[in-house]
Amino acid sequence: MTNEAKLRFEFDVDGDNFTSAGTASETVKYNLKQLGIAPDIIRRVAIVMYEGEINMVIHAKGGKAVVEIDSDEINITLKDVGPGIPDINLAMQEGWSTAPDNIRSLGFGAGMGLPNMKKYSDKMEIESVVGEGTTVKMCVKIRKEA
Amino acid sequence: MKIREIVELLGAKVLCCEEDLDNEVTSACASDMMSDVLAFVKDQAVLVTGLANPQVVRTALMMDIRCVVYVRGKNPDSLSVELARQKGIVLLSCDKRMFPACGILYDAGLKGGDLAV
């Protein structure tokens, strides 16, 4: 792959169906495997995108996910028009969560989503406006063979 | 160990992918919180959980987990079983509680994993 040959995938994340949350991440994981990307890189992308997708379903009634791949890195942009995050620093703290009890009973909402996304991406930026929505951009570098 | 040994050790029911019982697994993690599972990275892993919704199987899929063991007699819904069958993830259900189930598997040689990628 060359820089010119950038691949782009776009997904609508359905916010009304928690059961199907993760289907975009599943498709990206499959595509990266087909492209021959290293398994540890694929897993990091899978973790950050899946956590992000779950967040969009829990908090923002869905949104759009765009994944761009070139020879150096994988960029994931998750954009929603949900309620926004009033205090991003607080939201980044492990254990902080505003998820409702029904989501916690499904195994999410432990306040580990954003911290996991930061931990497993090489770069993460959050832009959020209360009442307008949130955009999360994450980059995972593709390791170069020595 | 082979997944088949887990079936025997825990007296578990096989819910799908019986044809994959001879696959090897080397490590396990146990949690009802899927974000904890997503922070766990090891190949050839087993997930032990008391949670039984489709996101458990999807989490396993993201992490290349080969086998999910539901404890406390939990049975996943048909969507979970169908997804696992499509993706080749073995689902097992046993009546043991989480702690003894983990103890038995640890004693038999399955180890925990590291947190870092």
Side-chain angles (χ1 to χ4, degrees):
Chain A
M1 239 189 312
T2 66
N3 265 326
E4 292 75 39
K6 187 181 259 193
L7 281 173
R8 190 172 193 274
F9 301 102
E10 202 172 317
F11 305 90
D12 284 316
V13 176
D14 179 1
D16 294 324
N17 190 350
F18 190 76
T19 301
S20 67
T23 47
S25 308
E26 196 183 314
T27 306
V28 168
K29 185 172 191 276
Y30 176 80
N31 289 339
L32 293 179
K33 199 171 173 185
Q34 296 298 308
L35 289 167
I37 306 285
D40 58 328
I41 302 293
I42 294 178
R43 202 172 291 171
R44 286 173 58 195
V45 172
I47 293 170
V48 302
M49 185 162 171
Y50 183 50
E51 289 278 23
E53 211 182 330
I54 293 282
N55 267 353
M56 284 205 289
V57 174
I58 294 175
H59 298 290
K61 296 185 177 158
K64 278 214 180 297
V66 175
V67 179
E68 291 170 311
I69 305 156
D70 65 28
S71 56
D72 296 323
E73 58 193 35
I74 299 159
N75 282 290
I76 302 148
T77 304
L78 306 171
K79 189 173 174 57
D80 68 56
V81 287
I85 305 170
D87 185 338
I88 292 174
N89 285 333
L90 195 56
M92 288 303 301
Q93 284 181 20
E94 287 191 8
W96 172 261
S97 176
T98 57
D101 284 347
N102 66 320
I103 293 298
R104 289 172 202 250
S105 69
L106 293 170
F108 290 91
M112 291 303 293
L114 286 173
N116 268 353
M117 287 155 71
K118 186 170 175 61
K119 182 174 171 187
Y120 291 114
S121 58
D122 290 304
K123 193 176 169 193
M124 179 167 100
E125 291 170 8
I126 304 176
E127 286 171 21
S128 190
V129 179
V130 173
E132 290 184 16
T134 300
T135 301
V136 180
K137 292 180 181 175
M138 294 177 287
C139 174
V140 175
K141 303 267 185 206
I142 298 171
R143 191 180 53 221
K144 296 284 185 191
E145 294 300 328
Chain B
M1 71 172 68
K2 291 189 192 310
I3 295 173
R4 186 178 300 284
E5 291 177 66
I6 297 177
V7 176
E8 288 161 14
L9 285 163
L10 300 180
K13 278 188 298 185
V14 182
L15 306 178
C16 72
C17 299
E18 196 150 2
E19 64 279 11
D20 294 323
L21 290 182
D22 286 324
N23 283 351
E24 285 285 334
V25 287
T26 54
S27 67
C29 69
S31 182
D32 288 353
M33 292 309 298
M34 292 303 106
S35 284
D36 282 347
V37 179
L38 290 165
F40 167 93
V41 181
K42 271 271 179 179
D43 285 325
Q44 297 177 289
V46 178
L47 168 61
V48 184
T49 187
L51 194 68
N53 66 58
Q55 291 308 333
V56 172
V57 175
R58 220 179 286 281
T59 302
L61 181 61
M62 293 298 153
M63 303 304 286
D64 301 314
I65 286 170
R66 295 180 165 198
C67 171
V68 177
V69 180
Y70 298 97
V71 293
R72 305 193 295 273
K74 293 279 178 74
N75 278 303
D77 54 19
S78 56
L79 261 175
S80 300
V81 177
E82 188 47 41
L83 183 60
R85 188 174 284 130
Q86 281 172 21
K87 305 296 177 183
I89 298 169
V90 180
L91 300 186
L92 307 176
S93 174
C94 75
D95 289 332
K96 293 193 167 37
R97 298 177 72 173
M98 176 82 93
F99 186 71
C102 292
I104 289 166
L105 296 181
Y106 191 89
D107 204 36
L110 278 189
K111 297 302 176 202
D114 302 322
L115 284 178
V117 171

